Amino acid sequence: MPFYKKLSIIFILYTLIIITSCNKKKNSQLVWESNFPVIGSQSSPRAVDLNSDGVLDFVIGAGKNEYEYTALGILAINGLDGELLWTHETQDQVFGSATFLDINRDETPDVFIGGRGPYLKALDGKTGNLIWEFDTLDHLHHPILQNARFNFYNSVTIPDQNGDGVNELLTSNGGNAKVAPNQTEGRFPGVLMVIDPVNGDILAADTMPDGGETYLSPLFIDQKESGVQQVLFGSGGETLSGNLYLANLRDLMGNNLSNAKPLVGEKNHGFIAPPVLVDLNEDGILDIVSVSHASTMTAICGKNLEPIWQLKIPNTESSNSFALGQFTADDIPDLFTFVSKGVWPENTGLVQVLIDGSSGKLLLEMEMGCSGFSSPIAYDLNGDGFDEVIFSINEYDCTRPIDDRSAFSIENKLVLMDFKADTTYLLDQTKSFKNIFSTPWLGDIDGDGYLDLVHCQYFSNSDILSFLGMKVKRIDLPIKLKNKPLWGGFMGSYGNATYQK
């Protein structure tokens, strides 16, 4: 299997960190770099200990170009040294990020991950062997599930529904990649479903209430104060109108989403980036913040479902989710993301935006990089009481057509932004590499009390979207872990898009 490990020191600007005298580590170090020829990824790394050595390992979806088979469709990477623990084959790209549950009771979490095809599999966490997979042939005549023939998006866990003591999976399926933008023929309604992770049985399912497609990873909301359990999901796409919906979990379990409440809608655009859940008005109830593909950001009160604020970034589009953190002086979390200039698929640059969580006021707007649909992460790296953000950008000619396959110059950069100091730092840069979709990961891999950073880069010398080879890097930072990161990965450190201290 073509694979090698490279040890070296990465060039990082150390001025970004205020190193206290009690810190033992003085420098950032590239602990390992795992290289994979030919393949690439639209997935983001998720961490879990798969070999019981006390060190977090990483699972990431991968693949060749669309509709191509590869033996390296899912990668389990040893967090200690970057070696492969196991791989699993796939017929198409696995762009989803992993969910973990121990369903075979061997004290090792098992892996659930989805992508194109449709592709949804449960894999043994120790070996990567198949436990079960979704098969469209089993549902060709089902009135609802016959529509579940396209992409599977990220899943989240919900409380046990069938009494076997194991939490279930909430996920969605939709989107026909072979249909051109603005074309309506050949589109099918998206499906929201609850799956038994033990055997893959579909416990409940229904289509989008408006009959639209879905590209949105659903969320589960447990409003503990009221005891109400809800599901948040959405419809629409880059060029198709859609809505963000809220429904009671019990209605979904009854296979009926007709009573779902539309919270916000968008004409000629839908909802692609996952919303986030956070208490913005300090009433003890989780509120909802969404961003439509038209870059309309809406904060919705979890108590009465009325808007708290709304902000639109004109002449941009968004497929990027938020990072949540303490970016301003008040106690209410704020939001950071970036949006794309222009009209998909011909986007012409990125705009980074910082939004005050309490008011929805646009606090910062700046332009860095070209196409990129990864999401930022956040943590207080220098101990000043304010969070900083880390995100990936690509530097190249932003006017370049997305389908241009001629050779070109590109450079991927991993950037840190310190809002309090009004300063931006460069963490890593690699020429002839890109990162279009993968969100970095931040946490303590080996339990030594210091932060580690894992991020992905993809070789590029032609068009932006082709898969030509990838590398995954683990960087050991000289920063003591004060508190576990709340937003240290895609959809937060727990993968459920919920900000709770």
Side-chain angles (χ1 to χ4, degrees), residues 274-278 321-325 327 336 375-379 387-388 439-440 442 484-494 496-500:
V276 294
L277 307 175
V278 55
S321 192
F322 298 101
L324 288 165
F327 305 134
F336 176 83
S375 297
I377 58 176
Y379 190 75
D387 289 325
E388 292 78 45
T439 295
L442 184 73
K484 184 174 181 179
L486 297 177
W487 219 264
F490 181 55
M491 296 176 65
S493 294
Y494 297 97
N496 58 8
T498 303
Y499 185 93
Q500 286 182 311

PDB file of all heavy atoms in Angstrom, residues 274-278 321-325 327 336 375-379 387-388 439-440 442 484-494 496-500:
ATOM      1  N   PRO A 274     -24.146  23.453   8.103  1.00  0.00           N
ATOM      2  CA  PRO A 274     -24.874  23.107   9.328  1.00  0.00           C
ATOM      3  C   PRO A 274     -25.108  24.328  10.223  1.00  0.00           C
ATOM      4  O   PRO A 274     -24.196  25.140  10.423  1.00  0.00           O
ATOM      5  CB  PRO A 274     -23.949  22.101  10.017  1.00  0.00           C
ATOM      6  CG  PRO A 274     -23.116  21.536   8.919  1.00  0.00           C
ATOM      7  CD  PRO A 274     -22.917  22.663   7.951  1.00  0.00           C
ATOM      8  N   PRO A 275     -26.314  24.494  10.767  1.00  0.00           N
ATOM      9  CA  PRO A 275     -26.550  25.533  11.774  1.00  0.00           C
ATOM     10  C   PRO A 275     -25.781  25.208  13.055  1.00  0.00           C
ATOM     11  O   PRO A 275     -25.176  24.134  13.179  1.00  0.00           O
ATOM     12  CB  PRO A 275     -28.072  25.467  12.009  1.00  0.00           C
ATOM     13  CG  PRO A 275     -28.613  24.602  10.923  1.00  0.00           C
ATOM     14  CD  PRO A 275     -27.506  23.705  10.493  1.00  0.00           C
ATOM     15  N   VAL A 276     -25.816  26.123  14.003  1.00  0.00           N
ATOM     16  CA  VAL A 276     -25.197  25.885  15.304  1.00  0.00           C
ATOM     17  C   VAL A 276     -26.213  26.176  16.399  1.00  0.00           C
ATOM     18  O   VAL A 276     -27.171  26.937  16.209  1.00  0.00           O
ATOM     19  CB  VAL A 276     -23.929  26.748  15.500  1.00  0.00           C
ATOM     20  CG1 VAL A 276     -22.846  26.321  14.531  1.00  0.00           C
ATOM     21  CG2 VAL A 276     -24.235  28.235  15.332  1.00  0.00           C
ATOM     22  N   LEU A 277     -26.001  25.558  17.558  1.00  0.00           N
ATOM     23  CA  LEU A 277     -26.894  25.685  18.706  1.00  0.00           C
ATOM     24  C   LEU A 277     -26.131  26.326  19.851  1.00  0.00           C
ATOM     25  O   LEU A 277     -25.089  25.824  20.261  1.00  0.00           O
ATOM     26  CB  LEU A 277     -27.420  24.314  19.121  1.00  0.00           C
ATOM     27  CG  LEU A 277     -28.061  23.481  18.006  1.00  0.00           C
ATOM     28  CD1 LEU A 277     -28.429  22.092  18.524  1.00  0.00           C
ATOM     29  CD2 LEU A 277     -29.289  24.182  17.437  1.00  0.00           C
ATOM     30  N   VAL A 278     -26.654  27.440  20.371  1.00  0.00           N
ATOM     31  CA  VAL A 278     -25.953  28.195  21.407  1.00  0.00           C
ATOM     32  C   VAL A 278     -26.960  29.098  22.106  1.00  0.00           C
ATOM     33  O   VAL A 278     -27.902  29.603  21.490  1.00  0.00           O
ATOM     34  CB  VAL A 278     -24.807  29.032  20.789  1.00  0.00           C
ATOM     35  CG1 VAL A 278     -25.314  29.946  19.683  1.00  0.00           C
ATOM     36  CG2 VAL A 278     -24.041  29.800  21.832  1.00  0.00           C
ATOM     37  N   SER A 321     -19.812  26.569   7.680  1.00  0.00           N
ATOM     38  CA  SER A 321     -20.441  26.701   8.980  1.00  0.00           C
ATOM     39  C   SER A 321     -19.631  27.656   9.861  1.00  0.00           C
ATOM     40  O   SER A 321     -18.588  28.162   9.472  1.00  0.00           O
ATOM     41  CB  SER A 321     -20.573  25.346   9.660  1.00  0.00           C
ATOM     42  OG  SER A 321     -21.420  25.422  10.800  1.00  0.00           O
ATOM     43  N   PHE A 322     -20.134  27.887  11.075  1.00  0.00           N
ATOM     44  CA  PHE A 322     -19.539  28.856  11.995  1.00  0.00           C
ATOM     45  C   PHE A 322     -18.512  28.205  12.921  1.00  0.00           C
ATOM     46  O   PHE A 322     -18.554  27.015  13.189  1.00  0.00           O
ATOM     47  CB  PHE A 322     -20.626  29.474  12.887  1.00  0.00           C
ATOM     48  CG  PHE A 322     -21.684  30.245  12.160  1.00  0.00           C
ATOM     49  CD1 PHE A 322     -22.924  29.670  11.909  1.00  0.00           C
ATOM     50  CD2 PHE A 322     -21.462  31.550  11.748  1.00  0.00           C
ATOM     51  CE1 PHE A 322     -23.920  30.382  11.261  1.00  0.00           C
ATOM     52  CE2 PHE A 322     -22.446  32.264  11.096  1.00  0.00           C
ATOM     53  CZ  PHE A 322     -23.684  31.672  10.852  1.00  0.00           C
ATOM     54  N   ALA A 323     -17.630  29.053  13.447  1.00  0.00           N
ATOM     55  CA  ALA A 323     -16.909  28.767  14.681  1.00  0.00           C
ATOM     56  C   ALA A 323     -17.513  29.647  15.761  1.00  0.00           C
ATOM     57  O   ALA A 323     -17.765  30.839  15.543  1.00  0.00           O
ATOM     58  CB  ALA A 323     -15.424  29.063  14.539  1.00  0.00           C
ATOM     59  N   LEU A 324     -17.748  29.063  16.934  1.00  0.00           N
ATOM     60  CA  LEU A 324     -18.299  29.799  18.067  1.00  0.00           C
ATOM     61  C   LEU A 324     -17.224  29.998  19.118  1.00  0.00           C
ATOM     62  O   LEU A 324     -16.410  29.099  19.371  1.00  0.00           O
ATOM     63  CB  LEU A 324     -19.472  29.029  18.684  1.00  0.00           C
ATOM     64  CG  LEU A 324     -20.762  29.003  17.860  1.00  0.00           C
ATOM     65  CD1 LEU A 324     -21.694  27.932  18.376  1.00  0.00           C
ATOM     66  CD2 LEU A 324     -21.447  30.354  17.890  1.00  0.00           C
ATOM     67  N   GLY A 325     -17.201  31.190  19.722  1.00  0.00           N
ATOM     68  CA  GLY A 325     -16.206  31.456  20.746  1.00  0.00           C
ATOM     69  C   GLY A 325     -16.443  32.773  21.431  1.00  0.00           C
ATOM     70  O   GLY A 325     -17.351  33.541  21.069  1.00  0.00           O
ATOM     71  N   PHE A 327     -15.258  36.010  21.479  1.00  0.00           N
ATOM     72  CA  PHE A 327     -14.446  36.918  20.678  1.00  0.00           C
ATOM     73  C   PHE A 327     -14.581  38.377  21.110  1.00  0.00           C
ATOM     74  O   PHE A 327     -13.805  39.217  20.670  1.00  0.00           O
ATOM     75  CB  PHE A 327     -14.808  36.786  19.199  1.00  0.00           C
ATOM     76  CG  PHE A 327     -14.712  35.387  18.660  1.00  0.00           C
ATOM     77  CD1 PHE A 327     -15.721  34.844  17.880  1.00  0.00           C
ATOM     78  CD2 PHE A 327     -13.595  34.597  18.924  1.00  0.00           C
ATOM     79  CE1 PHE A 327     -15.638  33.561  17.379  1.00  0.00           C
ATOM     80  CE2 PHE A 327     -13.496  33.305  18.433  1.00  0.00           C
ATOM     81  CZ  PHE A 327     -14.522  32.783  17.657  1.00  0.00           C
ATOM     82  N   PHE A 336     -17.875  33.335  13.984  1.00  0.00           N
ATOM     83  CA  PHE A 336     -16.946  33.670  12.906  1.00  0.00           C
ATOM     84  C   PHE A 336     -17.118  32.653  11.784  1.00  0.00           C
ATOM     85  O   PHE A 336     -17.269  31.455  12.025  1.00  0.00           O
ATOM     86  CB  PHE A 336     -15.501  33.639  13.403  1.00  0.00           C
ATOM     87  CG  PHE A 336     -14.486  33.873  12.319  1.00  0.00           C
ATOM     88  CD1 PHE A 336     -14.159  35.158  11.913  1.00  0.00           C
ATOM     89  CD2 PHE A 336     -13.847  32.807  11.701  1.00  0.00           C
ATOM     90  CE1 PHE A 336     -13.225  35.375  10.907  1.00  0.00           C
ATOM     91  CE2 PHE A 336     -12.913  33.021  10.695  1.00  0.00           C
ATOM     92  CZ  PHE A 336     -12.601  34.303  10.301  1.00  0.00           C
ATOM     93  N   SER A 375     -14.495  24.917   7.363  1.00  0.00           N
ATOM     94  CA  SER A 375     -15.031  25.784   8.421  1.00  0.00           C
ATOM     95  C   SER A 375     -13.946  26.073   9.447  1.00  0.00           C
ATOM     96  O   SER A 375     -12.998  25.288   9.608  1.00  0.00           O
ATOM     97  CB  SER A 375     -16.242  25.123   9.087  1.00  0.00           C
ATOM     98  OG  SER A 375     -17.292  24.947   8.147  1.00  0.00           O
ATOM     99  N   PRO A 376     -14.033  27.187  10.168  1.00  0.00           N
ATOM    100  CA  PRO A 376     -13.005  27.551  11.152  1.00  0.00           C
ATOM    101  C   PRO A 376     -13.195  26.839  12.482  1.00  0.00           C
ATOM    102  O   PRO A 376     -14.256  26.276  12.771  1.00  0.00           O
ATOM    103  CB  PRO A 376     -13.210  29.067  11.306  1.00  0.00           C
ATOM    104  CG  PRO A 376     -14.657  29.286  10.982  1.00  0.00           C
ATOM    105  CD  PRO A 376     -15.044  28.240   9.984  1.00  0.00           C
ATOM    106  N   ILE A 377     -12.140  26.872  13.311  1.00  0.00           N
ATOM    107  CA  ILE A 377     -12.198  26.389  14.686  1.00  0.00           C
ATOM    108  C   ILE A 377     -11.759  27.522  15.609  1.00  0.00           C
ATOM    109  O   ILE A 377     -11.234  28.540  15.143  1.00  0.00           O
ATOM    110  CB  ILE A 377     -11.328  25.141  14.899  1.00  0.00           C
ATOM    111  CG1 ILE A 377      -9.859  25.417  14.524  1.00  0.00           C
ATOM    112  CG2 ILE A 377     -11.880  23.967  14.103  1.00  0.00           C
ATOM    113  CD1 ILE A 377      -8.923  24.254  14.801  1.00  0.00           C
ATOM    114  N   ALA A 378     -11.951  27.362  16.925  1.00  0.00           N
ATOM    115  CA  ALA A 378     -11.670  28.457  17.854  1.00  0.00           C
ATOM    116  C   ALA A 378     -11.161  27.936  19.189  1.00  0.00           C
ATOM    117  O   ALA A 378     -11.572  26.863  19.658  1.00  0.00           O
ATOM    118  CB  ALA A 378     -12.934  29.299  18.082  1.00  0.00           C
ATOM    119  N   TYR A 379     -10.260  28.733  19.815  1.00  0.00           N
ATOM    120  CA  TYR A 379      -9.741  28.430  21.157  1.00  0.00           C
ATOM    121  C   TYR A 379      -8.940  29.641  21.644  1.00  0.00           C
ATOM    122  O   TYR A 379      -8.369  30.383  20.841  1.00  0.00           O
ATOM    123  CB  TYR A 379      -8.835  27.194  21.126  1.00  0.00           C
ATOM    124  CG  TYR A 379      -8.457  26.680  22.496  1.00  0.00           C
ATOM    125  CD1 TYR A 379      -9.373  25.989  23.272  1.00  0.00           C
ATOM    126  CD2 TYR A 379      -7.175  26.868  22.990  1.00  0.00           C
ATOM    127  CE1 TYR A 379      -9.023  25.504  24.527  1.00  0.00           C
ATOM    128  CE2 TYR A 379      -6.813  26.381  24.239  1.00  0.00           C
ATOM    129  CZ  TYR A 379      -7.746  25.705  25.012  1.00  0.00           C
ATOM    130  OH  TYR A 379      -7.396  25.234  26.244  1.00  0.00           O
ATOM    131  N   ASP A 387     -11.049  34.134  22.657  1.00  0.00           N
ATOM    132  CA  ASP A 387     -10.725  33.070  21.711  1.00  0.00           C
ATOM    133  C   ASP A 387     -10.136  33.642  20.426  1.00  0.00           C
ATOM    134  O   ASP A 387     -10.491  34.743  19.993  1.00  0.00           O
ATOM    135  CB  ASP A 387     -11.972  32.253  21.366  1.00  0.00           C
ATOM    136  CG  ASP A 387     -12.424  31.391  22.539  1.00  0.00           C
ATOM    137  OD1 ASP A 387     -11.560  30.906  23.280  1.00  0.00           O
ATOM    138  OD2 ASP A 387     -13.649  31.208  22.702  1.00  0.00           O
ATOM    139  N   GLU A 388      -9.243  32.869  19.828  1.00  0.00           N
ATOM    140  CA  GLU A 388      -8.754  33.139  18.488  1.00  0.00           C
ATOM    141  C   GLU A 388      -9.351  32.095  17.540  1.00  0.00           C
ATOM    142  O   GLU A 388      -9.903  31.094  17.990  1.00  0.00           O
ATOM    143  CB  GLU A 388      -7.222  33.068  18.425  1.00  0.00           C
ATOM    144  CG  GLU A 388      -6.510  34.182  19.174  1.00  0.00           C
ATOM    145  CD  GLU A 388      -6.464  33.966  20.670  1.00  0.00           C
ATOM    146  OE1 GLU A 388      -6.157  32.843  21.110  1.00  0.00           O
ATOM    147  OE2 GLU A 388      -6.761  34.938  21.420  1.00  0.00           O
ATOM    148  N   THR A 439     -11.937  20.816   7.592  1.00  0.00           N
ATOM    149  CA  THR A 439     -11.781  21.674   8.764  1.00  0.00           C
ATOM    150  C   THR A 439     -10.671  21.122   9.646  1.00  0.00           C
ATOM    151  O   THR A 439     -10.594  19.908   9.869  1.00  0.00           O
ATOM    152  CB  THR A 439     -13.101  21.732   9.554  1.00  0.00           C
ATOM    153  OG1 THR A 439     -14.095  22.372   8.749  1.00  0.00           O
ATOM    154  CG2 THR A 439     -12.947  22.506  10.858  1.00  0.00           C
ATOM    155  N   PRO A 440      -9.772  21.958  10.183  1.00  0.00           N
ATOM    156  CA  PRO A 440      -8.720  21.473  11.092  1.00  0.00           C
ATOM    157  C   PRO A 440      -9.316  20.909  12.388  1.00  0.00           C
ATOM    158  O   PRO A 440     -10.497  21.124  12.703  1.00  0.00           O
ATOM    159  CB  PRO A 440      -7.880  22.725  11.364  1.00  0.00           C
ATOM    160  CG  PRO A 440      -8.263  23.706  10.315  1.00  0.00           C
ATOM    161  CD  PRO A 440      -9.671  23.401   9.940  1.00  0.00           C
ATOM    162  N   LEU A 442      -8.359  20.531  16.667  1.00  0.00           N
ATOM    163  CA  LEU A 442      -7.521  21.026  17.758  1.00  0.00           C
ATOM    164  C   LEU A 442      -7.904  20.327  19.050  1.00  0.00           C
ATOM    165  O   LEU A 442      -9.086  20.254  19.409  1.00  0.00           O
ATOM    166  CB  LEU A 442      -7.700  22.540  17.919  1.00  0.00           C
ATOM    167  CG  LEU A 442      -6.819  23.242  18.960  1.00  0.00           C
ATOM    168  CD1 LEU A 442      -5.377  23.328  18.455  1.00  0.00           C
ATOM    169  CD2 LEU A 442      -7.352  24.643  19.254  1.00  0.00           C
ATOM    170  N   LYS A 484     -10.767  21.970  27.742  1.00  0.00           N
ATOM    171  CA  LYS A 484     -10.957  21.264  26.490  1.00  0.00           C
ATOM    172  C   LYS A 484     -11.628  22.187  25.484  1.00  0.00           C
ATOM    173  O   LYS A 484     -12.597  22.871  25.815  1.00  0.00           O
ATOM    174  CB  LYS A 484     -11.811  20.008  26.693  1.00  0.00           C
ATOM    175  CG  LYS A 484     -11.948  19.180  25.420  1.00  0.00           C
ATOM    176  CD  LYS A 484     -12.658  17.872  25.655  1.00  0.00           C
ATOM    177  CE  LYS A 484     -12.748  17.082  24.356  1.00  0.00           C
ATOM    178  NZ  LYS A 484     -13.415  15.769  24.536  1.00  0.00           N
ATOM    179  N   PRO A 485     -11.121  22.236  24.252  1.00  0.00           N
ATOM    180  CA  PRO A 485     -11.748  23.114  23.247  1.00  0.00           C
ATOM    181  C   PRO A 485     -13.218  22.784  23.051  1.00  0.00           C
ATOM    182  O   PRO A 485     -13.608  21.604  22.971  1.00  0.00           O
ATOM    183  CB  PRO A 485     -10.942  22.813  21.979  1.00  0.00           C
ATOM    184  CG  PRO A 485      -9.621  22.324  22.472  1.00  0.00           C
ATOM    185  CD  PRO A 485      -9.916  21.572  23.736  1.00  0.00           C
ATOM    186  N   LEU A 486     -14.041  23.829  22.977  1.00  0.00           N
ATOM    187  CA  LEU A 486     -15.451  23.648  22.680  1.00  0.00           C
ATOM    188  C   LEU A 486     -15.701  23.620  21.179  1.00  0.00           C
ATOM    189  O   LEU A 486     -16.658  23.010  20.711  1.00  0.00           O
ATOM    190  CB  LEU A 486     -16.279  24.773  23.321  1.00  0.00           C
ATOM    191  CG  LEU A 486     -16.255  24.840  24.854  1.00  0.00           C
ATOM    192  CD1 LEU A 486     -17.054  26.032  25.343  1.00  0.00           C
ATOM    193  CD2 LEU A 486     -16.783  23.549  25.460  1.00  0.00           C
ATOM    194  N   TRP A 487     -14.834  24.331  20.438  1.00  0.00           N
ATOM    195  CA  TRP A 487     -15.018  24.371  18.987  1.00  0.00           C
ATOM    196  C   TRP A 487     -13.692  24.033  18.318  1.00  0.00           C
ATOM    197  O   TRP A 487     -13.110  24.818  17.591  1.00  0.00           O
ATOM    198  CB  TRP A 487     -15.535  25.730  18.536  1.00  0.00           C
ATOM    199  CG  TRP A 487     -16.543  25.559  17.447  1.00  0.00           C
ATOM    200  CD1 TRP A 487     -16.321  25.639  16.104  1.00  0.00           C
ATOM    201  CD2 TRP A 487     -17.925  25.229  17.614  1.00  0.00           C
ATOM    202  NE1 TRP A 487     -17.484  25.367  15.411  1.00  0.00           N
ATOM    203  CE2 TRP A 487     -18.486  25.124  16.316  1.00  0.00           C
ATOM    204  CE3 TRP A 487     -18.740  24.996  18.720  1.00  0.00           C
ATOM    205  CZ2 TRP A 487     -19.835  24.814  16.114  1.00  0.00           C
ATOM    206  CZ3 TRP A 487     -20.071  24.688  18.515  1.00  0.00           C
ATOM    207  CH2 TRP A 487     -20.604  24.599  17.223  1.00  0.00           C
ATOM    208  N   GLY A 488     -13.239  22.788  18.540  1.00  0.00           N
ATOM    209  CA  GLY A 488     -11.954  22.341  18.037  1.00  0.00           C
ATOM    210  C   GLY A 488     -12.039  21.466  16.811  1.00  0.00           C
ATOM    211  O   GLY A 488     -11.063  20.805  16.456  1.00  0.00           O
ATOM    212  N   GLY A 489     -13.185  21.439  16.133  1.00  0.00           N
ATOM    213  CA  GLY A 489     -13.336  20.628  14.942  1.00  0.00           C
ATOM    214  C   GLY A 489     -14.582  21.006  14.186  1.00  0.00           C
ATOM    215  O   GLY A 489     -15.334  21.915  14.595  1.00  0.00           O
ATOM    216  N   PHE A 490     -14.846  20.325  13.075  1.00  0.00           N
ATOM    217  CA  PHE A 490     -16.036  20.602  12.277  1.00  0.00           C
ATOM    218  C   PHE A 490     -17.297  20.293  13.079  1.00  0.00           C
ATOM    219  O   PHE A 490     -17.417  19.235  13.676  1.00  0.00           O
ATOM    220  CB  PHE A 490     -16.006  19.764  11.001  1.00  0.00           C
ATOM    221  CG  PHE A 490     -17.189  20.000  10.102  1.00  0.00           C
ATOM    222  CD1 PHE A 490     -17.513  21.273   9.670  1.00  0.00           C
ATOM    223  CD2 PHE A 490     -17.972  18.941   9.681  1.00  0.00           C
ATOM    224  CE1 PHE A 490     -18.601  21.492   8.833  1.00  0.00           C
ATOM    225  CE2 PHE A 490     -19.053  19.136   8.839  1.00  0.00           C
ATOM    226  CZ  PHE A 490     -19.371  20.418   8.419  1.00  0.00           C
ATOM    227  N   MET A 491     -18.217  21.257  13.130  1.00  0.00           N
ATOM    228  CA  MET A 491     -19.438  21.153  13.928  1.00  0.00           C
ATOM    229  C   MET A 491     -19.126  21.051  15.418  1.00  0.00           C
ATOM    230  O   MET A 491     -19.867  20.440  16.186  1.00  0.00           O
ATOM    231  CB  MET A 491     -20.304  19.980  13.461  1.00  0.00           C
ATOM    232  CG  MET A 491     -20.840  20.121  12.033  1.00  0.00           C
ATOM    233  SD  MET A 491     -21.753  18.698  11.427  1.00  0.00           S
ATOM    234  CE  MET A 491     -23.170  18.677  12.522  1.00  0.00           C
ATOM    235  N   GLY A 492     -18.007  21.658  15.827  1.00  0.00           N
ATOM    236  CA  GLY A 492     -17.639  21.676  17.229  1.00  0.00           C
ATOM    237  C   GLY A 492     -16.851  20.454  17.637  1.00  0.00           C
ATOM    238  O   GLY A 492     -16.733  19.468  16.906  1.00  0.00           O
ATOM    239  N   SER A 493     -16.320  20.495  18.854  1.00  0.00           N
ATOM    240  CA  SER A 493     -15.464  19.407  19.326  1.00  0.00           C
ATOM    241  C   SER A 493     -16.209  18.091  19.514  1.00  0.00           C
ATOM    242  O   SER A 493     -15.598  17.021  19.528  1.00  0.00           O
ATOM    243  CB  SER A 493     -14.791  19.815  20.644  1.00  0.00           C
ATOM    244  OG  SER A 493     -13.896  20.890  20.428  1.00  0.00           O
ATOM    245  N   TYR A 494     -17.529  18.146  19.660  1.00  0.00           N
ATOM    246  CA  TYR A 494     -18.303  16.917  19.845  1.00  0.00           C
ATOM    247  C   TYR A 494     -19.074  16.518  18.590  1.00  0.00           C
ATOM    248  O   TYR A 494     -19.826  15.553  18.610  1.00  0.00           O
ATOM    249  CB  TYR A 494     -19.263  17.075  21.030  1.00  0.00           C
ATOM    250  CG  TYR A 494     -18.527  17.294  22.337  1.00  0.00           C
ATOM    251  CD1 TYR A 494     -18.330  18.585  22.840  1.00  0.00           C
ATOM    252  CD2 TYR A 494     -17.993  16.226  23.054  1.00  0.00           C
ATOM    253  CE1 TYR A 494     -17.640  18.779  24.032  1.00  0.00           C
ATOM    254  CE2 TYR A 494     -17.309  16.418  24.244  1.00  0.00           C
ATOM    255  CZ  TYR A 494     -17.140  17.704  24.712  1.00  0.00           C
ATOM    256  OH  TYR A 494     -16.438  17.917  25.896  1.00  0.00           O
ATOM    257  N   ASN A 496     -21.617  17.843  17.206  1.00  0.00           N
ATOM    258  CA  ASN A 496     -23.073  18.013  17.246  1.00  0.00           C
ATOM    259  C   ASN A 496     -23.498  19.473  17.073  1.00  0.00           C
ATOM    260  O   ASN A 496     -24.662  19.817  17.284  1.00  0.00           O
ATOM    261  CB  ASN A 496     -23.647  17.455  18.548  1.00  0.00           C
ATOM    262  CG  ASN A 496     -23.038  18.123  19.784  1.00  0.00           C
ATOM    263  OD1 ASN A 496     -22.304  19.088  19.687  1.00  0.00           O
ATOM    264  ND2 ASN A 496     -23.350  17.573  20.963  1.00  0.00           N
ATOM    265  N   ALA A 497     -22.536  20.353  16.713  1.00  0.00           N
ATOM    266  CA  ALA A 497     -22.802  21.774  16.438  1.00  0.00           C
ATOM    267  C   ALA A 497     -23.402  22.508  17.634  1.00  0.00           C
ATOM    268  O   ALA A 497     -24.102  23.505  17.469  1.00  0.00           O
ATOM    269  CB  ALA A 497     -23.694  21.933  15.208  1.00  0.00           C
ATOM    270  N   THR A 498     -23.116  22.030  18.848  1.00  0.00           N
ATOM    271  CA  THR A 498     -23.674  22.621  20.060  1.00  0.00           C
ATOM    272  C   THR A 498     -22.574  23.226  20.901  1.00  0.00           C
ATOM    273  O   THR A 498     -21.571  22.567  21.208  1.00  0.00           O
ATOM    274  CB  THR A 498     -24.443  21.553  20.869  1.00  0.00           C
ATOM    275  OG1 THR A 498     -25.461  20.971  20.044  1.00  0.00           O
ATOM    276  CG2 THR A 498     -25.085  22.176  22.097  1.00  0.00           C
ATOM    277  N   TYR A 499     -22.776  24.489  21.302  1.00  0.00           N
ATOM    278  CA  TYR A 499     -21.822  25.194  22.142  1.00  0.00           C
ATOM    279  C   TYR A 499     -22.346  25.207  23.578  1.00  0.00           C
ATOM    280  O   TYR A 499     -23.285  25.922  23.912  1.00  0.00           O
ATOM    281  CB  TYR A 499     -21.646  26.634  21.633  1.00  0.00           C
ATOM    282  CG  TYR A 499     -20.569  27.436  22.359  1.00  0.00           C
ATOM    283  CD1 TYR A 499     -19.277  27.477  21.881  1.00  0.00           C
ATOM    284  CD2 TYR A 499     -20.881  28.163  23.499  1.00  0.00           C
ATOM    285  CE1 TYR A 499     -18.279  28.226  22.524  1.00  0.00           C
ATOM    286  CE2 TYR A 499     -19.905  28.913  24.158  1.00  0.00           C
ATOM    287  CZ  TYR A 499     -18.603  28.946  23.662  1.00  0.00           C
ATOM    288  OH  TYR A 499     -17.639  29.682  24.293  1.00  0.00           O
ATOM    289  N   GLN A 500     -21.780  24.371  24.433  1.00  0.00           N
ATOM    290  CA  GLN A 500     -22.175  24.280  25.820  1.00  0.00           C
ATOM    291  C   GLN A 500     -20.943  24.087  26.683  1.00  0.00           C
ATOM    292  O   GLN A 500     -20.169  23.153  26.467  1.00  0.00           O
ATOM    293  CB  GLN A 500     -23.164  23.129  26.056  1.00  0.00           C
ATOM    294  CG  GLN A 500     -24.565  23.408  25.544  1.00  0.00           C
ATOM    295  CD  GLN A 500     -25.530  22.277  25.845  1.00  0.00           C
ATOM    296  OE1 GLN A 500     -25.234  21.115  25.592  1.00  0.00           O
ATOM    297  NE2 GLN A 500     -26.687  22.599  26.383  1.00  0.00           N
TER     298      GLN A 500
END
